[in-house]
Structure formats: C-alpha cells, structure tokens
Amino acid sequence: MRYLPLTPTDRAEMLATIGADSIDDLFVDVPVSARLDGPVPGLPNHTSELAVERHLSALAAKNVAAGSVPFFLGCGAYRHHVPASVDHLIQRGEYLTAYTPYQPEIAQGTLQMLFEFQSQVARLLGCDVANASMYDGSTACWEAVTMARRVTRKAKAVFSGGVHPHYVSVAKTMAKFTGDVLDTTQPWLVAETDDDRLIEKIDADTSCVVVQYPDILGRIPDLQRIADAAHAVKALLIAVVTEPVALGAIEAPGNLGADIVVGEGQSLGVGLQFGGPYVGLFACSEKLVRQMPGRLCGETVDAEGKRGFVLTLSTREQHIRREKATSNICTNSGLCALAFSIHLTLLGEKGLRQLAEVNHAKACAAAERLAQVPGVELVNDSFFNEFTLKLPVEARPVVRELADRGVLAGVSLGRLYPGEDALANGLVVAVTETVTEEDIEALAAALTEVLA
C-alpha cells in the first residue's frame, strides 16, 4: 500500500462499473510509442525512506548555498537578512489560515493582516491604495498594462529598455492573447538612462509607459519627466520596483507622477527560495481603484459598532461575471505578504531608511574597489545597491569561473540577453547588508586573477 489504498477487488469493481476490462484499457488513446513498457530509464526503483533521504541530501550538498560564499547576485531577487522573528511569527497558530479566504469576513485575522499590508505598500510606493498582493512582480507588471488599456482605451504599451527582460517576456507572452502592442527595446551599456529615447516613442496611441526604478542596470530614471510626457497624451506611467529596500533611500514612484506602481516584495521578509514563491506588489491612485486587479480589504464597523474588516473589492472572475472581471488572478500571496508585512513592521520607517543607507554605502565601497580591477569599467554614475560593470571579456564564462572559485559574482547580461553582443561583457553586481568587506575583497581578488 505504498501509493494506492485500493485492493485488487476494489479496482476490479471500479473497472466493471465503467465498463473496462483492465487498467490498460484506460490508456487506449495514448499512442503505443508513448507508453512505458517498464521502469523509467535512469530512475532507480523504490527504496527505503532512509536511503532516499541520504541520496537527496547528497544531491542537495552539491548546491552552493547563498550564505556560504561571497554573494553578489541580484537582478530582481536579493539576499537580505530576514530576522528570525519573521519565520517564528508566520508559523504561529494565530496566523494559520486557508490559502485564500473564500468566506473572507469569517477570517478576520487574515483580513486585518492584509489591510495592514495594503497600508504599508501604499505608503512605501507613494500611492493612494494598494491591493492585497499578487503572485509576483512580473505578473503584477502585466496586470498593470492590461489595467492601463481598460482605463485609456488604447492598446500600445511602451517599455523602457531598463525593464527586467523576464518581466518583458511575461508581458509578450500574455499580449499574444489580448492584442496589446508592446514597444520594447534592449538597454544600452552606458551610464545614461534611456529617458530621451523612451519619451520620443510616446504618442497619441500610447496607453502606458513602463519604467523600472531602479532599472535592470541599477540606474535611476527621471520618473517625473517621463510622467509629464506620458500624461501629455493621456497615457499612464507604470513604475516597476524590483528592490523595495531602495525606497528607503529614493523617492517613492507615486510621488513622482506614477499612476500605477508594481513590484516584487521578495526583499522584505521572503528569502530567495530558489526563485519563489514571491509576492507581487500593486498600487495605484484612488481614481483608478475600480480597475485595479486582485482583491482589496477594507476597514468598517459591525452592527455593534466594533471595528471589523471586509473584502471591499474582488474584481476577479471567481466572484463576479467573467466579462466584468479585471483579472484572472485567483488568489493573493498571503503567507509571503504576511512575512513582508512583519519584516517591514519590525524595521519601521527609521529602520528601513537605515537599512537602505547601509546597502548604498556597501554598494559604493564595492563599486569603487571593483573599478580598480584592471580592465573593469563601472558603467553607472548613480545607483542604489546594484550597479553594472563592463568587463574586457564576455561576462558569462567569467561568472562561471568565479563560481568555481567560490564567489557568486553577479548576473551576466549575456544570460539575460542571449545573443546581444553589445551586452555580453556586462556584469550586474548587487550588494546588500549581508555583504562584508572580506566578501568584496574576495570578489576583487578573484576577478583580478580570472581577468589576468
């Protein structure tokens, strides 16, 4: 009874009921060439739990854990210190809940947490209102584009070259089904952002302009200038934030004219986790709230005048008529949103600003040191905790060799933009509070040796 609790008699009765003579009759529609006639090649037979644990542990030991070596990876997923209290609190019984509140008003604790999360996100992003979270930053970005089409009744979205290519890829995939026209480009390996080129593309048919802040190379675009250009033709500005810790040091996008601000909340409370699950952030101005996807929790009073929380908006197809739904997002990332909210609560405004200052200071020190490596050029003239280096050779093999030497050096632009020769030598380096002076020196020394 390893997998099925059914006896041979049980299975025989089930087959008789549906009119099949054997289990094999259930697979007659599968071509013979696609059927297995024995064990899966290369897959071992079943064995004891102890042996499986031993084997999987040996496989896991081949991985390089983020905290075990100097770590400079970023580009949308960042290693920050998450206080132990975050993990402790999200596992407390008071926070245990169904993955999504189908009868939301019964789950008052869940709604209160999401209400507090929304309040924090709205303030962090500089917007009037935020929803109860989304899957991740890339899907939140796409939802913003479709929201802009509903608001403006136009279907051309202009993307800055500084938007993360994975976010752009998600948008391109979804646009195949919606008819949105996406004007995209690649970044240039220069210090200047592509604000001028972006503004030139904005015309009367533009529904929205999508700008990452800071961008994929770590540069900080002039959102106010882009917002003015977009608003002049009644288009919306969508700001994408992949590193929310940056907002402890730079102005919130909503305060600079962004109509919709989306992003990835992984940096706060959520570990790297091999790439997910993460938590998408979505906020906008109050006048656009009726077109906002996802769900929105609100505060009210009950019949006895006591404070309570309700699901104020839920504009998804499971709750309202499909043709009226603003999104097919089926749930919010409740657990990751809780971790985000707890971490941000523990930091507070002062703590977030201090954390941002530490990140920026360490990044400045790293950029100055790495720029001294022979042949290495610092691309950025401004950045938060992430910057781009231009190496004298292709970056991908260098990253591989540095990894073999026990240093996770950064993300090569050749990996993000395969086939783009102009970007092949670019290396994006992220420096957070977890990086030490010894880590920076280890990277500089290893890079010097590899490039010699």
Side-chain angles (χ1 to χ4, degrees):
M1 214 165 70
R2 291 169 299 161
Y3 301 107
L4 295 177
L6 303 174
T7 66
T9 301
D10 293 332
R11 287 195 284 274
E13 291 179 358
M14 294 170 68
L15 288 170
T17 300
I18 64 175
D21 293 330
S22 67
I23 296 291
D24 292 337
D25 288 349
L26 303 179
F27 301 96
V28 292
D29 293 326
V30 179
V32 175
S33 60
R35 301 183 202 174
L36 287 173
D37 57 3
V40 178
L43 190 67
N45 292 324
H46 71 276
T47 186
S48 69
E49 180 179 348
L50 177 61
V52 171
E53 286 180 354
R54 185 180 295 118
H55 179 65
L56 293 179
S57 296
L59 293 177
K62 295 181 179 180
N63 290 326
V64 177
S68 64
V69 296
F71 186 92
F72 297 90
L73 303 182
C75 285
Y78 303 91
R79 180 177 177 245
H80 288 284
H81 172 67
V82 179
S85 49
V86 172
D87 189 54
H88 173 75
L89 289 172
I90 66 175
Q91 295 185 66
R92 286 183 62 88
E94 296 94 323
Y95 291 114
L96 291 176
T97 179
Y99 81 102
T100 186
Y102 281 107
Q103 295 176 304
E105 280 65 46
I106 294 176
Q108 282 292 295
T110 297
L111 291 185
Q112 179 173 355
M113 181 279 294
L114 292 175
F115 180 82
E116 301 293 353
F117 169 84
Q118 292 169 178
S119 302
Q120 291 173 316
V121 172
R123 183 171 181 183
L124 183 67
L125 303 183
C127 295
D128 298 324
V129 60
N131 71 13
S133 80
M134 307 193 87
Y135 284 130
D136 60 14
S138 64
T139 47
C141 177
W142 166 248
E143 291 287 349
V145 173
T146 56
M147 175 177 165
R149 185 185 71 247
R150 293 193 299 271
V151 171
T152 65
R153 301 185 185 279
K154 296 184 285 187
K156 176 186 173 183
V158 179
F159 278 71
S160 163
V163 177
H164 197 300
H166 294 172
Y167 286 45
V168 176
S169 178
V170 168
K172 286 182 176 179
T173 297
M174 297 303 294
K176 295 177 183 177
F177 306 99
T178 64
D180 286 82
V181 178
L182 308 185
D183 187 335
T184 65
T185 186
Q186 311 284 25
W188 289 356
L189 205 56
V190 295
E192 297 78 18
T193 57
D194 65 346
D195 297 1
D196 292 335
R197 289 182 291 143
L198 186 63
I199 290 172
E200 289 176 359
K201 293 184 176 183
I202 301 173
D203 57 28
D205 296 325
T206 303
S207 67
C208 61
V209 183
V210 185
V211 184
Q212 186 169 315
Y213 176 81
D215 73 7
I216 188 65
L217 303 186
R219 305 168 304 186
I220 302 174
D222 186 348
L223 290 187
Q224 187 65 67
R225 181 169 168 242
I226 300 170
D228 293 341
H231 296 160
V233 296
K234 297 186 179 347
L236 304 183
L237 173 61
I238 299 172
V240 179
V241 178
T242 63
E243 169 55 298
V245 175
L247 300 180
I250 60 178
E251 188 63 74
N255 297 338
L256 297 173
D259 303 284
I260 306 172
V261 185
V262 298
E264 176 54 66
Q266 172 271 329
S267 283
L268 293 171
V270 184
L272 290 167
Q273 299 180 165
F274 300 97
Y278 288 167
V279 52
L281 311 179
F282 197 110
C284 65
S285 58
E286 188 173 1
K287 67 180 180 180
L288 302 178
V289 68
R290 287 286 176 179
Q291 291 297 330
M292 185 172 65
R295 52 160 57 95
L296 179 67
C297 297
E299 181 182 358
T300 186
V301 292
D302 64 15
E304 299 177 355
K306 297 179 181 179
R307 183 192 192 201
F309 299 90
V310 296
L311 203 58
T312 304
L313 287 177
S314 191
T315 53
R316 64 189 187 134
E317 62 183 33
Q318 286 183 325
H319 287 126
I320 63 177
R321 286 180 297 172
R322 177 172 296 180
E323 63 271 17
K324 296 292 185 181
T326 62
S327 170
N328 64 356
I329 292 293
C330 291
T331 186
N332 52 274
S333 299
L335 185 63
C336 293
L338 174 61
F340 175 100
S341 190
I342 291 174
H343 192 178
L344 192 53
T345 300
L346 291 170
L347 285 170
E349 181 177 347
K350 183 178 179 181
L352 179 63
R353 294 192 185 281
Q354 290 176 338
L355 178 62
E357 289 174 3
V358 171
N359 273 247
H360 182 58
K362 286 182 176 287
C364 288
E368 182 178 353
R369 175 66 183 91
L370 295 173
Q372 297 173 3
V373 175
V376 174
E377 175 187 346
L378 175 64
V379 173
N380 306 59
D381 54 17
S382 64
F383 54 87
F384 170 59
N385 69 350
E386 195 166 26
F387 53 85
T388 301
L389 301 176
K390 185 176 182 180
L391 307 184
V393 296
E394 184 181 353
R396 294 191 80 172
V398 173
V399 169
R400 180 68 266 169
E401 190 166 346
L402 289 172
D404 292 339
R405 293 169 180 251
V407 178
L408 298 180
V411 178
S412 62
L413 291 179
R415 176 185 173 191
L416 295 178
Y417 302 94
E420 294 292 330
D421 294 340
L423 298 172
N425 292 17
L427 177 66
V428 182
V429 178
V431 184
T432 71
E433 75 282 359
T434 63
V435 171
T436 66
E437 293 181 7
E438 291 77 15
D439 292 338
I440 295 172
E441 191 56 42
L443 172 57
L447 187 58
T448 300
E449 292 177 5
V450 170
L451 294 179

